[in-house]
Amino acid sequence: SQKIEQNSEALNIQEGKTATLTCNYTNYSPAYLQWYRQDPGRGPVFLLLIRENEKEKRKERLKVTFDTTLKQSLFHITASQPADSATYLCALELSGGSYIPTFGRGTSLIVHP
Amino acid sequence: SQTIHQWPATLVQPVGSPLSLECTVEGTSNPNLYWYRQAAGRGLQLLFYSVGIGQISSEVPQNLSASRPQDRQFILSSKKLLLSDSGFYLCAWSTINSPLHFGNGTRLTVT
C-alpha cells in the first residue's frame, strides 16, 4: 500500500543551527511533493513545492531536495529561529493523478533560544 | 487576493446531534474544494473533495456528508454525531497544479 513516513519524534535544535526534516514514501510515483507548516490550532500553510524532475528548490532560508530514486525528500531550515517552531507536513500527489495530495503525519520542530 | 473562511472556530455538540460546518472561498472561480479531518496526533485524513457544483467525492465511508450548493461554498454535515467524529476539521481549496490553501479549521468536540 502507499505510505508516507515522517519522523514522529519531535526534532529539538538550537537557534542558529540547520534543521533537517525527512519525508520518505513508498509505492508512489509523485508528480510533485509539497511541504506545509502547521501551527497549533491552525490550518497548514503551504511553503514549497518541488517537481519530480527537480532535485532542489530554495526559498529564503528554506531548501527542499527530492530524490525519486531514494523516494525521499529532505526539508532544511538554515539559521533556525524559535519562530520556526511548528509541525511540518509533507504531501505527495501521484503522477497524472487526481491532484489530491496525501499528507504525512508531520514532524514537530522545536527551536530553542 | 483569495481568502477562505471557515466557521465556527470551535464547536461542542452532544452525541446524536446534527452538524453543519460551512466554508466559503473568495477571489477565485471554480476551485477544487476539500474537507479534511485531523485527529490528535494523526495526519490529515481526506473526507470529501469537489471539483464543481454538486460534484462530491467521498474518500472515507462514515456518517458525514458534504454538499457544494454554490461554486465557492462547501458544507460538511452530519445527521447524528458520534463520539468518534471529534477532531479538527479543515476546509481547503486549490486549482489545478496549485497547492492547497487551508482555512483555520473547526475544533469539534462531541460529548
Side-chain angles (χ1 to χ4, degrees):
Chain A
S1 62
Q2 300 163 337
K3 197 173 179 182
I4 303 173
E5 293 181 344
Q6 292 187 259
N7 195 337
S8 58
E9 292 184 11
L11 177 63
N12 286 272
I13 64 168
Q14 284 299 124
E15 182 176 9
K17 301 293 186 183
T18 296
T20 299
L21 305 174
T22 304
C23 177
N24 295 301
Y25 60 94
T26 60
N27 300 330
Y28 276 98
S29 295
Y32 47 90
L33 184 148
Q34 304 171 24
W35 283 90
Y36 292 77
R37 168 183 172 143
Q38 186 174 22
D39 291 287
R42 307 295 294 270
V45 174
F46 170 74
L47 296 175
L48 279 170
L49 179 152
I50 186 165
R51 301 185 187 281
E52 60 181 335
N53 60 347
E54 298 175 316
K55 296 295 185 184
E56 182 179 297
K57 201 76 157 300
R58 291 176 185 262
K59 179 183 176 182
E60 298 174 350
R61 294 185 295 112
L62 308 180
K63 184 178 83 171
V64 172
T65 63
F66 194 12
D67 189 325
T68 55
T69 300
L70 292 178
K71 295 188 182 296
Q72 181 181 77
S73 174
L74 299 178
F75 177 78
H76 307 272
I77 306 176
T78 59
S80 60
Q81 305 166 1
D84 295 326
S85 299
T87 296
Y88 292 86
L89 308 169
C90 71
L92 303 178
E93 297 187 40
L94 298 176
S95 297
S98 59
Y99 307 105
I100 300 172
T102 300
F103 284 82
R105 292 189 176 189
T107 298
S108 175
L109 171 66
I110 302 169
V111 181
H112 299 276
Chain B
S1 64
Q2 302 94 349
T3 57
I4 179 168
H5 302 279
Q6 191 180 340
W7 68 93
T10 59
L11 190 60
V12 180
Q13 293 282 103
V15 169
S17 64
L19 173 74
S20 181
L21 302 180
E22 190 164 340
C23 171
T24 59
V25 179
E26 296 177 358
T28 186
S29 296
N30 196 30
N32 296 329
L33 297 173
Y34 310 82
W35 279 110
Y36 283 86
R37 178 170 60 200
Q38 189 174 36
R42 304 289 298 275
L44 288 168
Q45 179 187 36
L46 178 65
L47 301 176
F48 300 95
Y49 69 94
S50 171
V51 298
I53 296 174
Q55 301 178 60
I56 309 293
S57 295
S58 173
E59 291 294 303
V60 182
Q62 58 216 325
N63 70 322
L64 299 172
S65 63
S67 62
R68 185 171 178 173
Q70 300 180 43
D71 180 44
R72 289 169 288 180
Q73 184 184 29
F74 206 23
I75 298 172
L76 182 69
S77 304
S78 174
K79 292 182 180 178
K80 287 185 178 182
L81 284 169
L82 307 173
L83 285 174
S84 58
D85 291 324
S86 294
F88 191 44
Y89 289 82
L90 289 156
C91 180
W93 71 271
S94 75
T95 56
I96 296 295
N97 288 331
S98 84
L100 296 183
H101 304 272
F102 286 87
N104 279 329
T106 295
R107 175 74 58 191
L108 172 66
T109 303
V110 183
T111 61

